[in-house]
Structure formats: structure tokens, C-alpha cells
Amino acid sequence: MTVNRRTVLSTLATVPVFSLGAPLVARAAEIELKYGNNLPLTHPLNVRAAEAAARVKKETNGRVDIQIFPNNQLGGDTDMLSQVRSGAINFFTPSALVVATLVPVAAINALGFAFADYDQVWKAMDGPVGKHVREAMAKVGLLTFEKMWDNGFRQTTSSGKPIAAAKDMDGIKIRVPVSPLSVAMFKALGASPTSLQFSEVYSALQTKIVDAQENPLPIIQVAKLYEVQKNCSLTNHIWDGFWFTANARAFNALPADVQKIIPDAFNDAGIAQRGDIKKLNESVQADLEAKGLAFNKTDPDSFRAKLRDTGFYGEWKGRFGADAWGLLESAVGKLA
Ligand code: X2X
């Protein structure tokens, strides 16, 4: 919190009396809050977050200013995760995959091939699965707003041959997020995964440190990954979303009205952002094709069978626990 009363008063002293009614001096907000994320400014998450920040400013009559630091300006995911925990920043929107480095059950939405479609996704994440995860996050000091933001169904791009079935994963050097689940899943599929923060993905692909990566199409578009990849295989292997999370201590110290205005604004923005991604999903493949990325369909059963045969589901049922597993099954039906 920065109070600039002194600066304001000394500036006012030099202002001619007759113009005092006009807002000649831009007054600094009483409360300045920092929000960091890992995505380019053009991603719908940043577009909608900027709208929410403007709404907060308006509804607090300029008292609260939320500054947004996009595109890993404050460091990679793991840096921002520790910054929001320590209070160095107030808000962060990590992918569930990244939250799971701290709160293992948070990765449950990213279990391979768990969701058939978005109806199942929002039923689970706006319902009991999301609640279970947010309660677990609260235990590590992260106060998480109710509405999860959409990242999307993850697809696999490569600079080598396209992936059509599970056997094509064999030995592929693929970048995955810093997430134990992603590493385990791609190992089970026979690939050779490397965890890298998102800030390093473009150059890792460009310099061929890795040959492949996996992300939803809107990310491949805004981060221009098509410039350094040839094929996009529609694997739909994971559904991923972003949690809007706050440092609980700092948030609980805010004035009561602000503690309502901020989550209301960002939950509404999250819902709007889901709509943006839905709309984008109708056009993004054609746009990426026009930019030179070749698309292919895949055989999803081959991936599921391989995961089942290697004991992946059994192991992760144990790791997530029977409670969380049961909640997920109540939204999607019996899992493998
Ligand atoms: O790092 C990624 O791949 C990204 C952007 O999808 C996440 O935040 C997990």
C-alpha cells in the first residue's frame, strides 16, 4: 500500500487556486496490487484481466490499482508461484499443472483423457472437483477465486514426423510444463519429456533442445510456436485451466468492500474469457494452417490403452486419493 498524500499536497500547493476543481494531478491509488502471469498480452486471459482491473479501479473510485505483469516479466512459473506465496506479488494465474508442484491434487483435471468435452470440464471445475482443489490450495496460503480460466485441450506439435498414434511418441524429445503429472504421462507414453518453464519453450524449440511440445491451440498461436514447429497432432490429451490465486494474508488485509469487488470482477472476467477461447477454437486451426502448421488427427484409444497398460491410471488414482478421484468420476463417469 502506497500513500502519496505528501506528494499530492506539495503539488497542490503550486496549483493556482482557480483550477482546484479540475483533476490536474493524477492521484496515485491508495492500494497498489501486483498480478503476474506467463502469457503474451494478446491472449484472452490478459485481455479480460485488463478489463477486470479497470472495473476494480472504477468500482473502488480509483482506490485500487491492479498492475498486470504479463509474459513472464516477473520470472517463470515457479518464480511467480513463490512470489505469490511470499506476498511479493498479490495475484498469479498458474496452470493447474504448475500449482501441482506445490499442491499435488491440483493436477487432477489434467489426468490424461479424463474429459470428453467442455460440459464435463465446467461441471467438474465449477463443482466439487474445483472446490476440493481450492481447499487444498488454501492450506498453502493461496486464496483462489471460484471460477477457473480456460487454457484448453492440449495438442502436440513437433518439428519431426506427425504423431498419429501412441507408438509415434516413442523416444520423442518433448517439452512439458514443470509438472510431475506431465512428466509421468509422457514417460508412460514412451516419450522422453523435459520440464521447462513456458518462458523457455520458444527458444528450446528453435535451438532443437527439444523437438516437440504440447499446448492448447490459442497458446500455439499467441506465442508463435508455429514459427518453430511443423506438425500439430490433435491429441487432446489433457484439459488445462488457470486458477486465479491470491496471497491469502495480503488479500485478507484488504478493506472488506475490496475483498468482494476484486473476486467479483475476476470471476466474471474468467467466464468471459472461457467464451473467448470457445470462439477462438472455431478459427484457430485455420489460422495456424495458413501460417504453415500441418494438422493431423490421432487415434485416442491407442494413447488411453498405453496409459492403462503401463499402470498410469492406477498410480495416479493412488496419488490423487480416492476422494478426489471419486469427485472427478462423478462429473465424467468411470475412469480407466
Ligand atoms: O507452460 C505451458 O505450457 C502453459 C502456458 O500451457 C502453462 O501455463 C501450463
Side-chain angles (χ1 to χ4, degrees):
M1 190 162 140
T2 332
V3 180
N4 272 334
R5 195 162 163 261
R6 224 172 128 190
T7 354
V8 171
L9 286 181
S10 62
T11 317
L12 282 179
T14 65
V15 174
V17 175
F18 55 83
S19 67
L20 266 179
L24 282 184
V25 188
R27 280 218 302 148
E30 279 168 35
I31 302 171
E32 288 177 356
L33 303 172
K34 293 195 171 104
Y35 158 43
N37 68 62
N38 66 355
L39 296 184
L41 256 184
T42 47
H43 190 276
L45 174 136
N46 271 310
V47 176
R48 294 296 180 177
E51 283 176 15
R55 173 173 153 189
V56 168
K57 192 157 193 180
K58 187 156 174 265
E59 291 183 5
T60 59
N61 298 317
R63 278 183 301 147
V64 178
D65 186 20
I66 299 176
Q67 293 169 271
I68 304 177
F69 298 86
N71 213 11
N72 299 297
Q73 277 174 16
L74 301 177
D77 284 312
T78 38
D79 303 304
M80 286 187 281
L81 193 58
S82 48
Q83 287 164 16
V84 74
R85 286 193 78 208
S86 74
I89 61 176
N90 300 87
F91 306 106
F92 174 39
T93 37
S95 145
L97 287 164
V98 171
V99 178
T101 56
L102 202 62
V103 183
V105 76
I108 189 152
N109 64 262
L111 185 77
F113 304 97
F115 296 108
D117 55 35
Y118 272 103
D119 285 344
Q120 290 188 352
V121 166
W122 301 129
K123 186 174 165 197
M125 304 322 290
D126 287 339
V129 177
K131 184 163 177 281
H132 186 84
V133 170
R134 290 193 304 277
E135 283 168 3
M137 290 174 72
K139 293 194 179 124
V140 298
L142 293 174
L143 187 153
T144 304
F145 299 165
E146 209 175 304
K147 298 297 176 192
M148 199 176 195
W149 299 45
D150 194 10
N151 190 357
F153 281 90
R154 298 180 78 90
Q155 318 297 348
T156 308
T157 66
S158 65
S159 59
K161 65 182 170 63
I163 288 148
K167 63 173 178 8
D168 300 319
M169 283 284 181
D170 220 38
I172 282 205
K173 283 195 291 173
I174 185 168
R175 173 272 173 178
V176 297
V178 181
S179 166
L181 178 83
S182 301
V183 173
M185 183 168 159
F186 280 89
K187 276 195 179 146
L189 289 172
S192 174
T194 305
S195 270
L196 288 175
Q197 312 225 44
F198 188 61
S199 48
E200 301 178 285
V201 172
Y202 186 99
S203 65
L205 292 168
Q206 192 176 35
T207 57
K208 300 263 162 59
I209 289 172
V210 290
D211 298 321
Q213 69 84 42
E214 43 84 59
N215 250 303
L217 300 186
I219 297 241
I220 294 166
Q221 186 183 48
V222 296
K224 299 189 173 12
L225 301 184
Y226 54 83
E227 293 177 350
V228 286
Q229 294 281 266
K230 272 214 296 262
N231 297 294
C232 182
S233 306
L234 296 169
T235 46
N236 283 306
H237 52 284
I238 279 175
W239 177 80
D240 187 20
F242 298 101
W243 285 114
F244 207 104
T245 196
N247 177 287
R249 217 176 335 103
F251 184 87
N252 290 327
L254 292 169
D257 64 328
V258 176
Q259 286 189 39
K260 179 157 177 8
I261 289 171
I262 293 178
D264 284 355
F266 282 92
N267 282 326
D268 286 353
I271 297 288
Q273 187 267 359
R274 295 177 186 179
D276 297 338
I277 296 285
K278 190 173 176 199
K279 190 132 184 285
L280 204 50
N281 282 338
E282 291 164 13
S283 62
V284 61
Q285 181 172 337
D287 178 65
L288 291 170
E289 276 168 341
K291 291 180 159 101
L293 203 59
F295 279 75
N296 70 280
K297 295 217 169 75
T298 63
D299 169 15
D301 288 342
S302 69
F303 297 102
R304 267 193 223 109
K306 179 113 194 216
L307 292 178
R308 225 180 290 123
D309 296 348
T310 52
F312 172 82
Y313 289 109
E315 188 196 333
W316 284 82
K317 182 175 183 176
R319 289 224 214 170
F320 289 137
D323 286 355
W325 195 266
L327 294 175
L328 181 58
E329 285 191 329
S330 73
V332 304
K334 197 96 191 110
L335 289 161

